[in-house]
Amino acid sequence: MNASEFRRRGKEMVDYVADYLEGIEKRQVFPDVDPGYLRRLIPTTAPQEPETFEDIIKDVEKIIMPGVTHWHSPYFFAYFPTASSYPAMLADMLCGAIGCIGFSWAASPACTELETVMMDWLGKMLQLPEAFLAGEAGEGGGVIQGTASEATLVALLAARTKVTRRLQAASPELTQAAVMEKLVAYASDQAHSSVERAGLIGGVRLKAIPSDEKFAMRASALQEALERDKAAGLIPFFVVATLGTTSCCSFDNLLEVGPICHEEGLWLHVDAAYAGSAFICPEFRHLLNGVERTDLTGAFRLDPVYLRHSHQDSGLITDYRHWQLPLGRRFRSLKMWFVFRMYGVKGLQAYIRKHVQLSHAFEALVRQDTRFEICAEVTLGLVCFRLKGSNQLNEALLESINSAKRIHLVPCSLRDQFVLRFAICSRTVELAHVQEAWEHIQEMAAKVLRAPGEGTAEMQNAWLRKEERRKKKSNGFI
Amino acid sequence: MNASEFRRRGKEMVDYVADYLEGIEKRQVFPDVDPGYLRRLIPTTAPQEPETFEDIIKDVEKIIMPGVTHWHSPYFFAYFPTASSYPAMLADMLCGAIGCIGFSWAASPACTELETVMMDWLGKMLQLPEAFLAGEAGEGGGVIQGTASEATLVALLAARTKVTRRLQAASPELTQAAVMEKLVAYASDQAHSSVERAGLIGGVRLKAIPSDEKFAMRASALQEALERDKAAGLIPFFVVATLGTTSCCSFDNLLEVGPICHEEGLWLHVDAAYAGSAFICPEFRHLLNGVERTDLTGAFRLDPVYLRHSHQDSGLITDYRHWQLPLGRRFRSLKMWFVFRMYGVKGLQAYIRKHVQLSHAFEALVRQDTRFEICAEVTLGLVCFRLKGSNQLNEALLESINSAKRIHLVPCSLRDQFVLRFAICSRTVELAHVQEAWEHIQEMAAKVLRAPGEGTAEMQNAWLRKEERRKKKSNGFI
């Protein structure tokens, strides 16, 4: 394909994308396909001779779209929102064209420098303390990690190295393994499974701190675990505080946890993968309070000691490869630049506020129906709710909702209760969609409540499926 | 921005991208900017109010492009090629529009299933043994990792878990730390720095096996290290064989290394980050020989034991989040699908053959000039060469080439020799560019050879700069 064909095909693709997103509401949000559907539709080997773009774009509708879960449908209320916008897509096109691998400053100076400045823009939008910013002097500074999971892992590895070096400096006879055997990291029992995984990868114990009745990690429970572990000769070194948990968007108490970490010399990592963006709104910024009162090193300014070889960052040049696990990295800050500018801070705040308003609207609808209960405080765009009654009943409700495929939800487990999560996700979701979804849920509930009760074969099967699913649980969702 | 503005702006962006790539040859391949250039050109905070697309696209030329190293310029001969093509860009647009996070089958069935089939297509193109493929039965199967660094790390972690479990099954009193303290991984002294980093992250020793005179890891050196370490009570568990090293594109001897790993029960991981794609050409496939003769588990079929929680993959459904470090993942297989189909296998083979021919053409030019020497066998698209003479002389040559900025190269270090790497990178590079580059290098060489010899202040400074750079070395390039 040469440039002139790309001009033509690219424009066709732009129209296809616009058509897709304009018409996404009319597509069934969750696909009808069974596992293995796709293999039957395409050849078993790559073609020897080139095919045409027409062949492929026809197959997109025939082969791909029938198997797509439409994350940007206004009827998608599952998991959490994943960012997408037209400005972001335009930036991505440019990112693909430049196609640099920004592992060092020289590999593409603009790629490194725009990221540094965009992270400062973000840091200021979040009202982070000055020490978190790169600024002119290059004292702090942020980095875009590929995923939240990697951010947690990188922080844990940095903390592991820091504490190991400190202990070895004091007792040079200590081996790394001897230190690692005693290290303990902590997170709330509501933390995302990627935190547990970071512990496994890093080869250190990770202990779950029982959360309080609001699903928040509090000082007392953390302190108790620390005392017990220190008494047993273990070495606490790392705490993950989650702001906006995956299961129910609860918030660990940073104002309590921060000072403890400071006192005990523990690295405090803040995981705000979902809720973080809401902190650009002044009315939600208080949820991040505690960042200022502690002198945590972590969160955004990842200490690169671990990931460094013998390279020294100068004040002006950051070689981001030392701040992340992979060597390669794309020109991702272009997306931030386009989105920040084309929305403006006010536009982004409005976007978040709309989502929060919609979740409160849904919450109000649920509260008006006495058959239902709200299971956790609604702070941002997530509502956890259930039918008053057994887990089996709620399992059946979810099953009937997701089988009907008019909307899509996923469940979570809160203190052994099977709970439905209603997450405001789509960029284009409006009050009418939320109302329609609620009416649909009510209909499904009526059907389930009319159905033969627990103890029937149907319910037994649902229960078995649930148990199976519970076993497969591997993150905040079930 | 609504859909109709996106239609307009998207098409403008398509033209911008096509213009950029059509005109890339006329842009200076390496930028003139100094560290910190960008911060001075843009505001210190994000705008409160939205800006227009015009504002931004104007700034792309004013602020971004002056700081871009143009990886797709036909005058770019640095590092290694990074894949880019028009079909890939079209696929990426679609990927961005669908914008799903494919961490499980249900999160978007097409995303998982296309990846499984595309990895099979690739496996067959590479003539991998049947056991590496997913096929109908789902026995093997590949996964797209974000980067080669992550692939190595995931393999090392899987191997670490496997050996730890085996040892703990035999001696239940063994702690993980006690096992890890004794584990040893091996790679050639020519392996990429990301292998060393994987060892650091995984908390295990990694030993460098001295490569032979062709920079290849051989049986004898590996066996010797294994015997020595086993005698010292250590536990060898993991070997990385590199096919196509970063510094000089040398090939570890898989036919020798494979059987040793098999005999000793070591996990063998093949890192073919650069050279792997060439194995789709029958004439280069022999470089992968040994994959068949060993029963290695690794390389493509990553044993997910480690990354699994309590989830069982069925034959038909693969939840790829268990096969990688991050939870999130994009719909990356769309790119493979578009590219494989629009090039066809023959088109891809032709692409690779052209690059190899161009590197041999460059090699022939170098060999005709007796002032120069070739430093490593030229197999694929990389030529390592230098002026006969001191490291200082070659350092000065590179310095003068990269200061002139007509072409861009990076150096490497081979047995303490400062060596220039000429890598065929661009999709649009032709013989004329290679010839022009060589003439330019000759001119620069003549200038350097005419210049005051070693011992002058200029040379002393170059030497100091080199030493500094050498210290900063953190991968196969200097």
Side-chain angles (χ1 to χ4, degrees):
Chain A
M1 182 180 282
N2 59 21
S4 90
E5 196 190 347
F6 173 72
R7 287 179 201 272
R8 187 151 60 97
R9 301 315 189 180
K11 289 165 192 175
E12 288 173 22
M13 186 57 91
V14 165
D15 278 326
Y16 182 85
V17 166
D19 289 345
Y20 169 67
L21 291 170
E22 275 195 314
I24 199 165
E25 193 164 335
K26 292 187 203 79
R27 291 180 189 258
Q28 181 174 293
V29 59
F30 192 79
D32 278 325
V33 298
D34 290 319
Y37 88 97
L38 188 137
R39 187 179 287 277
R40 290 189 293 272
L41 299 175
I42 69 175
T44 55
T45 53
Q48 288 295 308
E49 304 290 340
E51 298 181 53
T52 66
F53 182 75
E54 280 95 340
D55 294 336
I56 295 170
I57 199 78
K58 255 186 277 168
D59 280 350
V60 170
E61 272 305 328
K62 228 171 59 192
I63 296 171
I64 304 299
M65 285 302 172
V68 168
T69 305
H70 299 289
W71 281 61
H72 302 287
S73 162
Y75 297 112
F76 182 90
F77 302 104
Y79 312 111
F80 267 139
T82 175
S84 178
S85 68
Y86 291 121
M89 283 182 247
L90 294 171
D92 239 7
M93 288 164 71
L94 183 60
C95 170
I98 293 175
C100 63
I101 310 286
F103 47 69
S104 65
W105 182 85
S108 220
C111 179
T112 291
E113 296 205 10
L114 187 65
E115 183 159 334
T116 306
V117 180
M118 284 306 103
M119 294 309 287
D120 272 5
W121 279 20
L122 179 61
K124 288 175 188 171
M125 284 159 71
L126 296 170
Q127 298 180 50
L128 290 182
E130 190 68 27
F132 286 68
L133 309 178
E136 294 283 342
E139 285 298 308
V143 58
I144 306 173
Q145 296 288 328
T147 58
S149 339
E150 286 160 273
T152 304
L153 176 57
V154 168
L156 180 135
L157 294 171
R160 189 187 78 181
T161 304
K162 196 179 165 186
V163 67
T164 304
R165 292 202 179 158
R166 197 182 64 209
L167 294 168
Q168 287 181 328
S171 317
E173 76 288 356
L174 275 177
T175 64
Q176 193 192 5
V179 172
M180 278 171 63
E181 190 152 38
K182 298 193 167 173
L183 293 181
V184 197
Y186 303 87
S188 143
D189 57 12
Q190 300 299 311
H192 191 262
S193 62
S194 57
V195 177
E196 188 189 339
R197 187 190 261 190
L200 287 168
I201 293 171
V204 297
R205 272 188 200 78
L206 186 118
K207 296 205 174 175
I209 303 297
S211 54
D212 72 2
E213 75 291 349
K214 286 180 139 188
F215 307 103
M217 179 162 62
R218 301 294 300 275
S220 53
L222 176 61
Q223 196 77 62
E224 202 178 299
L226 291 173
E227 296 311 327
R228 200 177 42 238
D229 288 343
K230 285 191 294 182
L234 298 175
I235 306 169
F237 80 110
F238 184 67
V239 175
V240 178
T242 307
L243 300 182
T245 57
T246 304
S247 48
C248 67
C249 196
S250 60
F251 291 80
D252 288 340
N253 193 320
L254 207 53
L255 283 169
E256 290 184 3
V257 169
I260 295 177
C261 294
H262 180 46
E263 237 165 77
E264 305 270 346
L266 311 180
W267 184 299
L268 175 58
H269 174 72
V270 174
D271 177 357
Y274 163 63
S277 46
F279 304 153
I280 66 165
C281 299
E283 68 272 32
F284 300 123
R285 174 57 177 73
H286 68 94
L287 294 164
L288 189 57
N289 283 350
V291 149
E292 297 86 345
R293 293 191 41 201
T294 67
D295 64 348
L296 77 174
T297 337
F300 293 88
R301 168 65 183 181
L302 300 167
D303 184 341
V305 166
Y306 177 82
L307 298 173
R308 243 182 229 179
H309 288 233
S310 51
H311 184 96
Q312 285 297 325
D313 293 345
S314 82
L316 287 166
I317 301 179
T318 302
D319 283 347
Y320 278 123
R321 69 174 181 277
H322 301 293
W323 292 34
Q324 60 174 20
L325 297 175
L327 177 65
R329 58 198 337 268
R330 304 171 72 228
F331 199 157
R332 290 175 290 196
S333 57
L334 281 174
K335 253 184 174 168
M336 297 175 77
W337 195 48
F338 273 52
V339 170
F340 288 170
R341 294 182 69 181
M342 294 194 71
Y343 275 84
V345 174
K346 288 186 181 171
L348 293 169
Q349 289 170 336
Y351 186 99
I352 284 165
R353 286 175 183 140
K354 180 184 153 196
H355 277 203
V356 177
Q357 278 157 13
L358 289 177
S359 75
H360 282 303
F362 184 82
E363 180 192 11
L365 291 168
V366 176
R367 287 196 191 276
Q368 281 163 27
D369 188 329
T370 55
R371 297 170 301 176
F372 286 89
E373 58 189 350
I374 295 288
C375 310
E377 189 179 353
V378 178
T379 309
L380 299 175
L382 176 68
V383 183
C384 287
F385 70 107
R386 68 197 302 276
L387 277 169
K388 291 170 185 164
S390 68
N391 282 346
Q392 288 93 319
L393 186 67
N394 281 285
E395 161 87 9
L397 173 60
L398 185 78
E399 180 94 11
S400 70
I401 292 169
N402 280 342
S403 305
K405 298 181 183 177
R406 273 184 52 197
I407 63 174
H408 189 50
L409 305 181
V410 293
C412 71
S413 171
L414 288 177
R415 309 253 190 269
D416 288 327
Q417 282 208 320
F418 186 91
V419 169
L420 283 70
R421 294 170 78 263
F422 189 91
I424 306 293
C425 288
S426 162
R427 187 177 52 81
T428 58
V429 60
E430 299 291 344
L431 185 59
H433 299 109
V434 170
Q435 286 168 334
E436 195 185 326
W438 173 241
E439 281 160 29
H440 179 63
I441 292 169
Q442 283 183 309
E443 277 166 38
M444 294 292 117
K447 237 176 61 183
V448 168
L449 288 167
R450 270 199 309 273
E454 300 176 28
T456 65
E458 192 193 351
M459 281 300 175
Q460 283 293 1
N461 287 338
W463 172 253
L464 287 171
R465 276 195 303 275
K466 186 198 72 183
E467 281 303 294
E468 207 175 324
R469 207 175 297 175
R470 193 184 288 275
K471 279 185 215 129
K472 289 180 187 171
K473 184 190 157 189
S474 74
N475 48 41
F477 324 115
I478 294 185
Chain B
M1 182 181 281
N2 59 19
S4 91
E5 196 190 347
F6 174 72
R7 285 178 203 272
R8 189 153 58 98
R9 300 315 188 181
K11 289 164 192 175
E12 288 173 22
M13 186 57 92
V14 165
D15 277 326
Y16 183 85
V17 166
D19 289 344
Y20 169 67
L21 291 169
E22 275 195 313
I24 200 167
E25 193 163 336
K26 292 185 204 79
R27 292 180 189 257
Q28 181 174 292
V29 59
F30 191 79
D32 278 326
V33 297
D34 290 320
Y37 89 97
L38 187 135
R39 187 178 287 275
R40 289 188 293 272
L41 299 175
I42 69 175
T44 55
T45 55
Q48 287 295 310
E49 304 291 341
E51 298 181 52
T52 65
F53 182 74
E54 281 96 339
D55 293 336
I56 295 170
I57 199 79
K58 254 186 277 166
D59 281 349
V60 169
E61 273 305 329
K62 226 170 63 191
I63 297 171
I64 304 299
M65 286 301 173
V68 168
T69 304
H70 299 289
W71 281 61
H72 301 287
S73 161
Y75 297 113
F76 182 90
F77 302 104
Y79 313 111
F80 267 139
T82 176
S84 178
S85 68
Y86 290 120
M89 282 182 249
L90 294 171
D92 239 7
M93 288 164 71
L94 184 60
C95 169
I98 294 175
C100 63
I101 311 287
F103 45 71
S104 65
W105 182 84
S108 221
C111 178
T112 291
E113 297 205 10
L114 187 65
E115 183 160 333
T116 306
V117 180
M118 284 307 102
M119 293 310 286
D120 272 7
W121 279 18
L122 179 62
K124 288 174 187 172
M125 284 159 72
L126 295 170
Q127 298 180 49
L128 289 182
E130 189 69 26
F132 285 68
L133 308 179
E136 295 282 344
E139 284 298 310
V143 58
I144 307 174
Q145 296 287 330
T147 57
S149 337
E150 287 161 271
T152 304
L153 177 57
V154 169
L156 180 134
L157 293 172
R160 190 187 76 181
T161 304
K162 196 178 165 186
V163 68
T164 304
R165 292 201 178 160
R166 197 181 66 207
L167 293 169
Q168 288 180 329
S171 318
E173 77 288 356
L174 274 178
T175 63
Q176 193 193 2
V179 173
M180 278 172 63
E181 188 151 42
K182 296 192 168 172
L183 294 180
V184 197
Y186 302 87
S188 143
D189 57 11
Q190 299 299 311
H192 191 263
S193 61
S194 58
V195 177
E196 188 190 338
R197 185 190 262 193
L200 287 169
I201 292 171
V204 297
R205 272 189 199 77
L206 187 118
K207 295 205 175 176
I209 303 297
S211 55
D212 73 0
E213 77 291 350
K214 284 179 142 190
F215 307 103
M217 178 163 62
R218 303 293 301 275
S220 53
L222 176 61
Q223 197 78 63
E224 202 178 298
L226 292 174
E227 297 311 327
R228 200 177 43 238
D229 289 341
K230 286 191 292 182
L234 298 175
I235 306 170
F237 80 109
F238 185 68
V239 175
V240 178
T242 307
L243 301 182
T245 57
T246 304
S247 48
C248 68
C249 196
S250 59
F251 291 79
D252 288 340
N253 193 321
L254 207 52
L255 284 169
E256 290 184 2
V257 168
I260 294 176
C261 293
H262 181 46
E263 236 166 78
E264 305 269 347
L266 311 181
W267 182 300
L268 175 57
H269 174 71
V270 174
D271 176 357
Y274 164 64
S277 48
F279 304 154
I280 66 167
C281 299
E283 68 272 32
F284 300 123
R285 174 57 177 76
H286 69 94
L287 294 165
L288 189 57
N289 285 350
V291 151
E292 296 85 349
R293 293 194 39 205
T294 68
D295 64 348
L296 77 173
T297 337
F300 293 89
R301 168 65 184 180
L302 299 169
D303 184 341
V305 167
Y306 177 83
L307 297 174
R308 243 182 229 178
H309 288 232
S310 51
H311 184 97
Q312 285 296 325
D313 292 347
S314 82
L316 286 167
I317 301 180
T318 301
D319 283 347
Y320 277 123
R321 69 173 180 278
H322 300 292
W323 293 33
Q324 61 176 19
L325 297 175
L327 176 66
R329 57 198 337 268
R330 303 171 71 227
F331 200 157
R332 289 174 291 198
S333 56
L334 281 174
K335 251 183 175 169
M336 296 174 77
W337 195 47
F338 274 52
V339 170
F340 288 170
R341 293 181 69 181
M342 295 196 68
Y343 275 84
V345 175
K346 287 187 181 170
L348 292 170
Q349 288 170 336
Y351 186 99
I352 285 165
R353 284 174 184 141
K354 181 184 151 196
H355 276 204
V356 178
Q357 279 158 11
L358 289 178
S359 76
H360 282 303
F362 183 82
E363 180 192 10
L365 291 168
V366 176
R367 287 196 190 278
Q368 280 163 29
D369 187 329
T370 55
R371 296 170 302 176
F372 285 88
E373 59 189 349
I374 295 288
C375 310
E377 190 179 352
V378 177
T379 309
L380 298 176
L382 176 68
V383 183
C384 286
F385 71 107
R386 68 196 301 278
L387 277 168
K388 292 169 185 165
S390 68
N391 282 347
Q392 289 95 319
L393 186 67
N394 282 284
E395 161 87 10
L397 172 60
L398 184 77
E399 179 94 11
S400 70
I401 292 169
N402 281 341
S403 305
K405 297 180 184 177
R406 274 184 53 196
I407 63 175
H408 188 50
L409 305 181
V410 293
C412 71
S413 171
L414 289 176
R415 308 251 190 271
D416 288 327
Q417 282 207 323
F418 185 92
V419 169
L420 284 70
R421 294 170 78 264
F422 189 90
I424 306 293
C425 289
S426 163
R427 186 177 54 82
T428 57
V429 60
E430 300 291 344
L431 185 59
H433 299 110
V434 170
Q435 286 167 334
E436 195 185 326
W438 173 241
E439 280 161 29
H440 179 64
I441 291 168
Q442 284 183 309
E443 277 167 36
M444 293 294 117
K447 236 176 62 181
V448 168
L449 289 166
R450 269 199 310 273
E454 300 174 26
T456 66
E458 193 191 350
M459 282 299 175
Q460 283 292 1
N461 287 338
W463 172 254
L464 286 171
R465 275 196 302 277
K466 185 197 71 184
E467 281 302 294
E468 207 175 322
R469 207 175 296 179
R470 192 184 288 274
K471 279 186 216 130
K472 290 181 188 172
K473 184 189 158 191
S474 72
N475 49 40
F477 324 114
I478 293 185

